[in-house]
Amino acid sequence: MLAGGVESLEAMTRRRQYGEVANLLQGVMNVLEHFHKYMGIPQIRQLSERVKAAQTELGQQILADFEEAFPSQGTKRPGGPSNVLRDACLVANILDPRIKQEIIKKFIKQHLSEYLVLFQENQDVAWLDKIDRRYAWIKRQLVDYEEKYGRMFPREWYMTERIAVEFCHVTRTELAKIMRTRAKEIEVKLLLFAIQRTTNFEGFLAKRFSGCTLTDGTLKKLESPPPSTNPFLEDDPAPEMDELAMEKGDLDQPKKPKAPDNPFHGIVSKCFEPHLYVYIDSQDKNLGELIDRFVADFKAQGLPKPNTEEGGAVLPSCADLFVYYKKCMVQCSQLSTGEPMIALTTIFQKYLREYAGKILSGNLPKTTSSSGGLTISSLLKEKEGSEVAKFTLEELCLVCSILSTAEYCLATTQQLEEKLKEKVDVSLTERINLTGEMDTFSTVISSSIQLLVQDLDAACDPALTAMSKMQWQNVEHVGDQSPYVTSVILHIKQNVPIIRDNLASTRKYFTQFCIKFANSFIPKFITHIFKCKPISMVGAEQLLLDTHSLKMVLLDLPSIGSQVVRKAPASYTKIVVKGMSRAEMILKVVMAPHEPAVVFVDNYIKLLTDCNTETFQKILDMKGLKRSEQSGMLELFRQRLPTPPSGAEGSSSLSLMAPTPEQESSRIRKLEKLIKKRL
């Protein structure tokens, strides 16, 4: 059987009966396996060598047949498909794999030889503006191949895909070469056009082929990214940005079918990556122009109209900025997820800072003494007790608007950072960090709140000055609240409702404003109480009534002038109650008789729990006691003081008075107890 088979094999090979050879060769090889143990017998060994020789000859003969049909050199047109070659491929399947690879390589090379001539570097069609023609050419070639040669090669050779893949490799090399030579001619529009057409072509390949012929090298690059969680879409930071969310949603659409399920992604387009700096530079320029336009628009439009709709609303420019960012980010990530994304992030950071500086901080109204230092004019104004220059209604709305915008930018920048991290290669996520920019927006928010507080605070100053200049010792009967209280309440009623309406979308910052105002106004009010000296009993009663009126207004401050009465936040109420109760206690102590001295001192310590000698002396001044009377009282006060508690209040009073040794030792005992308790 074996001998007969070998004879037939040699005869059929000479006659090029490849169809019969394919079946026979496999059978002969199977039979030969049975004789594997008997290779020591000369006849068997000889037959085995004849089979090997027949295989070698077949390989060479088939390659020669293909060379004749598809000459790699010369002008002879390639022949058409033939049944002989079809059967030859079946034989090649059984022979050494190198034969099959050689056939494939030669055929593809021959098939693409025309392409290299047509699109030579010096040809007009080779440049990026005509990149479409390359892809049109290969599509025609593939159709042509399918019609002519589709049946000639076995299906499992995936010849159509192999031709397409080789075309991609050649194109990538050729494009890289021509772009290096003509780098100066690459403009951003041209680059984006070329990339767009190329990625479309890669998408076409993905629809058409499975990518099974791609070498491991290509596939490794394409590990699928983590599933997309898009914070831009999940919760839009400001409700008024609905249209923005929609725009962002639209921008996200083309992104969906990309990289993870396209094994051909980047097979050609990778060659554009070294030139993406052209794109990045152009985005830098565009964003610079965008910021300048925002600045010009802001100047042209002037202050926002003082209604609750527009006043306090987020500036439209910030929505435009983030929509543009979104567009760039999606576009860039489709071009590359490597270094260019990091370069783009750096540009984003630059313009977020510029936006915060030029549009937000730069447009906050200036206060007369924003530095906190007193100017000559403000001193003069205080003397006359006249009104201090206040923000206009428009300016108040503008500050609220800038605050809301900064809050929107802060939230959106955080989402931008998450989105960028999602888009770049995992190895680069660490290099994306927008914390600095978020801090910048936080600073704008703090400055805006501070301005609103300063404005209201300054408006109340003349009233407090008037209060401290009243002749309190001459007050004969307690009446309604004093005029200065009415003045303070008026200013609060003017400013607070505007601020509240304009910060309706950001309640937490309105609460911060209330807290900061209370923390600024109440200590100032107490300082002015101490200036009301000397004060009579009736005067102190009147001042106590005024203090109570102010306390009630302050407690109601968050919802003053509002139809909807909301309960003030507990954190705020606590500050007002604590501060104003102290003011009331000071006046109650002033009203108490200073004889007998011991009772007065003990009463002071109990009511005010203030171990500070200075405060005690200020109260004695308010009562109008002479210095001689005061010294005895102060001595008694020092003796009656309890051991100050360890902690902040204690330390401030300690610095003012040297403790006695007994107090010192009892303090140490208390400290020890406290430490044990903590441990």
Side-chain angles (χ1 to χ4, degrees):
M1 198 167 145
L2 180 62
V6 173
E7 296 255 329
S8 306
L9 187 63
E10 288 168 341
M12 286 172 183
T13 301
R14 283 193 293 278
R15 292 201 295 274
R16 285 185 163 71
Q17 291 170 308
Y18 295 134
E20 289 87 341
V21 168
N23 296 324
L24 183 61
L25 179 60
Q26 192 62 59
V28 169
M29 284 162 76
N30 291 345
V31 173
L32 196 58
E33 264 177 37
H34 291 287
F35 290 99
H36 200 62
K37 304 180 236 181
Y38 308 110
M39 283 301 166
I41 300 166
Q43 288 91 324
I44 303 288
R45 192 167 59 246
Q46 213 174 357
L47 282 170
S48 168
E49 279 161 7
R50 276 171 70 190
V51 171
K52 274 191 194 136
Q55 282 178 306
T56 311
E57 193 186 336
L58 269 170
Q60 288 166 350
Q61 195 173 298
I62 288 171
L63 286 176
D65 290 350
F66 267 96
E67 177 61 42
E68 195 182 327
F70 305 102
S72 45
Q73 261 84 35
T75 49
K76 188 174 163 229
R77 292 288 297 155
S82 72
N83 292 340
V84 173
L85 292 181
R86 187 187 68 203
D87 294 342
C89 292
L90 299 176
V91 177
N93 258 342
I94 306 164
L95 297 173
D96 183 340
R98 279 177 301 194
I99 303 290
K100 170 182 155 185
Q101 282 156 11
E102 190 65 25
I103 293 172
I104 291 172
K105 198 169 112 190
K106 278 196 163 170
F107 181 81
I108 292 176
K109 190 178 175 190
Q110 196 279 326
H111 218 71
L112 294 178
S113 56
E114 181 194 341
Y115 173 64
L116 286 168
V117 176
L118 285 176
F119 292 89
Q120 251 175 345
E121 207 175 317
N122 56 8
Q123 294 298 317
D124 188 35
V125 287
W127 189 228
L128 302 180
D129 57 348
K130 304 210 170 46
I131 201 161
D132 275 348
R133 301 208 186 163
R134 292 176 182 267
Y135 304 131
W137 183 88
I138 188 66
K139 284 176 186 173
R140 281 197 308 275
Q141 285 299 313
L142 294 177
V143 171
D144 185 47
Y145 165 81
E146 290 283 0
E147 284 173 3
K148 276 195 191 163
Y149 305 106
R151 297 233 174 88
M152 193 169 95
F153 293 100
R155 285 195 49 191
E156 68 273 16
W157 284 21
Y158 301 108
M159 284 302 285
T160 324
E161 181 176 318
R162 286 179 193 278
I163 294 169
V165 169
E166 185 55 31
F167 165 83
C168 291
H169 292 320
V170 170
T171 305
R172 189 163 97 190
T173 313
E174 290 295 308
L175 286 174
K177 206 158 62 182
I178 194 166
M179 284 194 288
R180 269 200 303 278
T181 318
R182 297 173 65 175
K184 288 195 170 58
E185 296 173 49
I186 301 175
E187 291 168 359
V188 71
K189 270 187 184 158
L190 180 63
L191 182 70
L192 289 180
F193 164 78
I195 293 173
Q196 180 69 53
R197 293 293 195 262
T198 304
T199 45
N200 287 354
F201 174 68
E202 289 170 350
F204 158 79
L205 293 180
K207 282 193 197 115
R208 188 83 197 276
F209 305 119
S210 64
C212 59
T213 67
L214 291 170
T215 49
D216 296 345
T218 322
L219 287 166
K220 253 190 209 115
K221 191 182 83 237
L222 303 160
E223 287 159 7
S224 62
S228 166
T229 54
N230 182 351
F232 274 71
L233 295 173
E234 272 167 16
D235 55 33
D236 223 88
E240 57 272 79
M241 292 297 147
D242 279 348
E243 65 275 358
L244 172 60
M246 279 163 63
E247 277 202 70
K248 286 178 173 170
D250 295 347
L251 283 166
D252 234 37
Q253 294 316 307
K255 184 73 186 65
K256 297 286 187 290
K258 211 201 88 190
D261 36 34
N262 181 355
F264 296 93
H265 175 68
I267 191 166
V268 181
S269 55
K270 202 88 180 126
C271 69
F272 296 111
E273 208 160 286
H275 302 277
L276 282 177
Y277 65 86
V278 176
Y279 171 76
I280 304 290
D281 290 349
S282 102
Q283 294 312 334
D284 190 356
K285 186 164 151 275
N286 292 351
L287 280 162
E289 286 167 4
L290 195 64
I291 297 285
D292 292 344
R293 198 187 84 212
F294 291 161
V295 172
D297 287 355
F298 193 93
K299 284 187 181 140
Q301 285 161 3
L303 299 175
K305 301 292 168 284
N307 62 27
T308 51
E309 286 305 305
E310 191 186 324
V314 175
L315 297 174
S317 60
C318 84
D320 296 345
L321 180 72
F322 282 107
V323 166
Y324 191 80
Y325 271 12
K326 180 74 198 264
K327 193 172 107 192
C328 293
M329 179 178 66
V330 170
Q331 201 171 37
C332 188
S333 67
Q334 286 172 346
L335 311 180
S336 161
T337 52
E339 285 296 331
M341 281 295 275
I342 301 293
L344 188 70
T345 304
T346 310
I347 283 171
F348 282 178
Q349 288 173 292
K350 171 179 162 186
Y351 289 104
L352 284 173
R353 289 194 297 273
E354 281 210 7
Y355 187 83
K358 288 183 179 174
I359 313 288
L360 303 182
S361 304
N363 285 309
L364 282 171
K366 308 285 177 276
T367 55
T368 37
S369 56
S370 56
S371 59
L374 288 167
T375 56
I376 294 292
S377 64
S378 67
L379 279 170
L380 287 171
K381 276 188 182 141
E382 202 165 293
K383 272 207 171 67
E384 297 154 15
S386 67
E387 290 292 303
V388 178
K390 272 182 68 178
F391 284 156
T392 60
L393 180 59
E394 284 83 1
E395 285 175 323
L396 276 180
C397 290
L398 174 65
V399 176
C400 294
S401 204
I402 287 173
L403 192 157
S404 303
T405 305
E407 190 209 17
Y408 173 82
C409 290
L410 177 64
T412 316
T413 302
Q414 193 175 355
Q415 295 172 356
L416 177 70
E417 180 184 272
E418 289 166 18
K419 203 79 189 101
L420 283 164
K421 284 184 171 174
E422 239 178 71
K423 299 262 183 219
V424 298
D425 294 339
V426 181
S427 57
L428 298 174
T429 46
E430 290 302 308
R431 287 171 58 192
I432 289 180
N433 182 355
L434 304 185
T435 318
E437 289 62 43
M438 292 184 228
D439 292 347
T440 308
F441 289 119
S442 297
T443 309
V444 174
I445 293 172
S446 305
S447 309
S448 306
I449 294 174
Q450 199 50 48
L451 274 179
L452 295 171
V453 170
Q454 270 176 13
D455 179 53
L456 182 52
D457 218 10
C460 298
D461 279 350
L464 295 180
T465 310
M467 158 184 138
S468 58
K469 290 194 175 146
M470 278 175 69
Q471 301 295 314
W472 288 102
Q473 75 273 35
N474 300 338
V475 176
E476 287 169 5
H477 53 82
V478 179
D480 285 340
Q481 63 188 33
S482 309
Y484 74 88
V485 177
T486 312
S487 168
V488 169
I489 294 172
L490 180 71
H491 287 304
I492 287 176
K493 281 186 171 166
Q494 276 173 354
N495 279 30
V496 175
I498 297 169
I499 295 169
R500 182 183 55 240
D501 290 346
N502 282 309
L503 293 183
S505 59
T506 54
R507 292 287 313 175
K508 66 174 176 183
Y509 292 118
F510 174 64
T511 304
Q512 275 189 32
F513 157 76
C514 295
I515 289 173
K516 283 192 174 172
F517 175 69
N519 277 329
S520 165
F521 176 79
I522 296 172
K524 201 186 273 188
F525 175 64
I526 290 173
T527 309
H528 279 79
I529 285 181
F530 285 131
K531 290 182 185 171
C532 302
K533 56 187 183 183
I535 188 166
S536 66
M537 185 72 168
V538 181
E541 278 181 24
Q542 177 63 51
L543 196 48
L544 186 61
L545 180 100
D546 292 344
T547 304
H548 185 71
S549 297
L550 275 175
K551 179 180 172 181
M552 295 327 285
V553 169
L554 286 172
L555 283 172
D556 185 38
L557 179 109
S559 57
I560 201 163
S562 166
Q563 269 84 41
V564 185
V565 180
R566 281 192 183 195
K567 196 166 178 281
S571 53
Y572 170 76
T573 307
K574 194 175 163 189
I575 291 165
V576 174
V577 170
K578 189 180 172 188
M580 293 308 277
S581 300
R582 179 172 163 76
E584 289 173 340
M585 289 306 171
I586 289 168
L587 292 167
K588 282 177 183 169
V589 171
V590 170
M591 286 157 70
H594 58 276
E595 298 288 340
V598 176
V599 177
F600 177 75
V601 170
D602 285 355
N603 201 16
Y604 168 86
I605 291 169
K606 190 174 92 196
L607 283 175
L608 277 177
T609 61
D610 187 337
C611 307
N612 195 328
T613 330
E614 270 184 38
T615 314
F616 186 66
Q617 187 157 7
K618 284 177 185 169
I619 282 181
L620 298 181
D621 287 343
M622 282 179 79
K623 289 182 77 66
L625 295 181
K626 296 188 182 71
R627 288 286 170 201
S628 53
E629 293 174 281
Q630 285 188 17
S631 58
M633 285 280 219
L634 282 165
E635 192 48 50
L636 184 64
F637 173 68
R638 287 195 185 95
Q639 288 167 10
R640 305 291 293 178
L641 271 182
T643 312
S646 61
E649 291 139 301
S651 62
S652 64
S653 56
L654 283 178
S655 57
L656 291 160
M657 47 174 247
T660 58
E662 300 90 88
Q663 282 173 336
E664 195 69 59
S665 63
S666 90
R667 238 178 78 241
I668 289 167
R669 277 200 300 280
K670 273 196 173 171
L671 262 174
E672 282 171 347
K673 268 187 197 163
L674 198 82
I675 291 166
K676 275 182 190 157
K677 215 175 186 180
R678 288 270 163 87
L679 290 171

